[in-house]
Amino acid sequence: MIEVKELTKRYGNKTAVDRISFSAGAGEILGILGPNGAGKTSTMRMLTGFMPPTDGSATLDGFDIVADSMEVRRRVGYMPERVPLYPDMTVEEYVRFWAKLRGVRRPQKSIEAVLDRVQLLDRRRSLVRSLSKGLKQRLGLAQTLVHNPKVIILDEPTIGIDPQQVIEVRAAVRDLAHNHTVLFSTHILSEAEQVCDRVIILNQGRIVAEGTPAELRQKLYPGDSVFVQIGGVGHAKPEKTLRGINGVKQVQKLAGGYALEAVAGRDIRADVVKRIQQAGWTLLELRPVAVTLEDIFLKIVSREDAEEQAE
Amino acid sequence: MNGVGVIFWREMRGYFTSPYAYLIAAAFLLLAGFFFVSNLWLSVEQTPADPAAIPEFLSFGMIFFAPLLTMRMLAEETREGTMELLLTAPVSDSAIIIGKFLSAWGFYTILLGITASYQIILVNIGAFPDLGKAVAAYIGIWLYGGACLSVGLVYSALTDSQIVAGFLSMATLFLLYLGDNIGLIVADVELARLLRTLTLQGHFSTSFAVGIFRAEDVVFFAGLITAMLFIAIRIVESRRWR
Ligand SMILES: Nc1ncnc2c1ncn2[C@@H]1O[C@H](COP(=O)(O)OP(=O)(O)O)[C@@H](O)[C@H]1O
Ligand SMILES: [Mg+2]
């Protein structure tokens, strides 16, 4: 549904997006993950037809983003980073305006359906300016969906709203995948993990990793980690002992305990328990540590920085 | 063109639901009424009444009214971020500009139409206006106003601040209005004449306003509108490259 090849965007001599290639299939939720300034917004603005790429190409549903821009725009629903609203319109007028501008014939039915879907039907006569931030966000989503686009592009849709609404928006996005292809950007790593089928990690305009959240975890953190809490250590320093356990690659002291990283594919739990008992300590807690994308991201970025310094 | 109508009606609705637009309309109609009445007083001794009184006032008044009617049109879209959605909707940049321009011109046409109804009073009191002069003056000021609105639209496209847009368009229109006065201080007659043909007044005060209908004046205003819309479209397009 989305095919991106060597897409590049330069502002003056600053390269914001640097020869990125990726694709997304129908019904897939693809996450673009990256810190501020990574090039997420620039990428989305090129795909929506807001601005042309400096180089490279992309197609949406088979239409080229430059040559067939109008066809592409008809098939895209876009929610920019800052939800664009007309404060003086009513909720219904606002959605009707975008429906008509995007060529929806007899829009009334779609308008009601979409307002129902984002639970704004009872507020249809309210002025947009009177809505709370969370409701404005939902109205933005309604505008994105009203012409039933094949591709939905959401630029950091959970920024600046309260936690309850964040959960709602994430659920709404997951829900969209039944009928649409979704491109979803975020700088929150756990969010990408929760919402997306596949994730692209973008840093300084380049793709630094790509895959399902599980694959990324596998690739970058092949070993399972366990967390242990030990009692009765006295003045001894257990790090060295723990590092000596067969199959332990790395030991990290955390508040209240230690994180032990295992070498790939190894279950170290039995050995850890045995060694702690041998040392005469008490094992208070032992549990697996799930690696988050946060860790992955830190690892990639620090590796990149190291490479840069080596150059 | 795809989308022109949708944009046009949204802006029209905007005018009729905004207290701010009603305020402008009230000032417009009040001042036009004032100039109409004062002309009527004059005509007690000095008949007949001049049907071009209102158009003549508007040739000055539009310096202020045109910027007020157009300054927020694009500046506000940029500020609110809706421009990003407009520019990713399946409509061309020209459709957006033309829709907005037609809406401003349409609103002005309605106001002008209301002032035209004042002339009926003249008929009622038996002071039949010179119909030819009235028609020429009204067509003239209609085109004249369209040109002023198109200038306002350019500045609204240029900045995201309506105040700046309004101020710059007033300054520009003022220059276009008073430009022929520069002709008074240059010694060269040919140059003075040329300067006058470049100003709004030069195509109104001695032609339309006195009942003379000249093709060159129509061409001047139509050309000015076309050029200004073209520039506004280019400014919006250039946004994509920024
Ligand atoms: N219009 C612009 N002009 C110049 N530089 C820009 C412009 N937009 C973005 N940039 C720069 O491009 C880089 C990528 O920005 P952006 O795409 O907004 O990233 P993100 O959305 O991931 O935060 C940033 O360094 C930013 O400063
Ligand atoms: Mg961004």
Side-chain angles (χ1 to χ4, degrees), chain A residues 41 81 155-156:
Chain A
T41 300
E81 206 162 344
D155 197 358
E156 305 210 27

Side-chain angles (χ1 to χ4, degrees), chain B residues 7 50 52 75 98 101 126 136 165 168 173 215 232 237:
Chain B
I7 302 273
D50 184 4
I98 291 171
F101 170 72
L168 289 178
L173 289 174
E237 269 174 8

